[in-house]
Amino acid sequence: MALLKILHYPDVRLRTKALPVEDFGPALQKIIDDLYETMYDAHGAGLAATQVNIHLRLAVMDVRGEGQQQICMINPEVTATNGDQVDQHGCLSVPNVPGDQLKRAAKVHLRALDRFGKPFELDAEGTLAICIQHEMDHMNGKLYIDHLSSLKRERLFKKAEKYNRRAHGE
Ligand code: NI
């Protein structure tokens, strides 16, 4: 396995629309293992292939951490949503930004393929529902900050700048 390099905002490659996975062979299996390793190393709850410059509709998630709830979703589709929820959002591709409140669907019904190409369906709520919506955005070249107003976005980046300056002892 290997750690992959995570692209950071404003890298334009994060804006690529990913293509459906068609080949579930050894090359894909290695990508999935590397995605899990990279996600755990970065202490993330989800990682889309887009974020490591692999433009396939594929993401790994583990909202409980430590391998307790590993989900690999390939060519995912949300077929139903229900309600609203607001959650503190962050993203491994937008580091040193404290995250912000963002409204998402409270419940989603997911239809996807697993790592071997077998279809599965899942009803998700809470953090997992948020994570599914967040990772699917990545596959469409979208970042969570795109959902914020430009004023909010500016405020976040000012905060991040301050953190970064402090971290560098300026
Ligand atoms: Ni993200």
Side-chain angles (χ1 to χ4, degrees):
M1 290 203 279
L3 289 179
L4 305 169
K5 193 176 155 1
I6 298 176
L7 302 177
H8 289 163
Y9 174 87
D11 196 309
V12 291
R13 291 172 290 181
L14 287 167
R15 301 308 190 174
T16 312
K17 197 164 160 38
L19 296 171
V21 172
E22 286 170 0
D23 183 348
F24 292 81
L28 185 78
Q29 301 307 315
K30 177 162 182 352
I31 290 170
I32 293 167
D33 290 339
D34 290 347
L35 278 174
Y36 274 120
E37 196 185 357
T38 305
M39 176 184 78
Y40 289 125
D41 180 72
H43 304 289
L47 187 64
T50 302
Q51 293 177 270
V52 295
N53 202 27
I54 296 171
H55 301 289
L56 293 172
R57 305 188 79 78
L58 155 68
V60 298
M61 299 175 284
D62 185 354
V63 297
R64 288 211 213 128
E66 295 172 0
Q68 288 188 74
Q69 199 180 2
Q70 287 191 344
I71 296 171
C72 171
M73 62 174 184
I74 297 177
N75 304 347
E77 254 181 283
V78 164
T79 55
T81 62
N82 207 331
D84 287 329
Q85 64 175 325
V86 173
D87 197 52
Q88 190 76 22
H89 246 78
C91 179
L92 294 175
S93 290
V94 192
N96 303 319
V97 171
D100 201 9
Q101 306 282 313
L102 188 64
K103 205 152 105 179
R104 294 277 196 185
K107 293 182 182 177
V108 300
H109 185 79
L110 171 72
R111 223 185 255 174
L113 303 176
D114 73 7
R115 63 183 296 164
F116 305 111
K118 194 171 154 240
F120 69 92
E121 296 192 27
L122 183 75
D123 283 307
E125 56 185 12
T127 311
L128 181 58
I130 288 171
C131 199
I132 289 168
Q133 294 168 80
H134 180 111
E135 302 313 329
M136 284 179 66
D137 269 0
H138 277 304
M139 296 174 199
N140 293 321
K142 204 160 181 185
L143 296 170
Y144 83 91
I145 48 175
D146 301 342
H147 294 282
L148 303 172
S149 69
S150 53
L151 189 71
K152 265 194 165 178
R153 205 158 42 224
E154 219 170 278
R155 229 187 297 147
L156 272 186
F157 281 105
K158 271 206 190 116
K159 256 194 234 174
E161 236 172 75
K162 223 190 272 175
Y163 284 150
N164 290 340
R165 267 207 303 271
R166 229 180 277 148
H168 292 108
E170 286 169 32

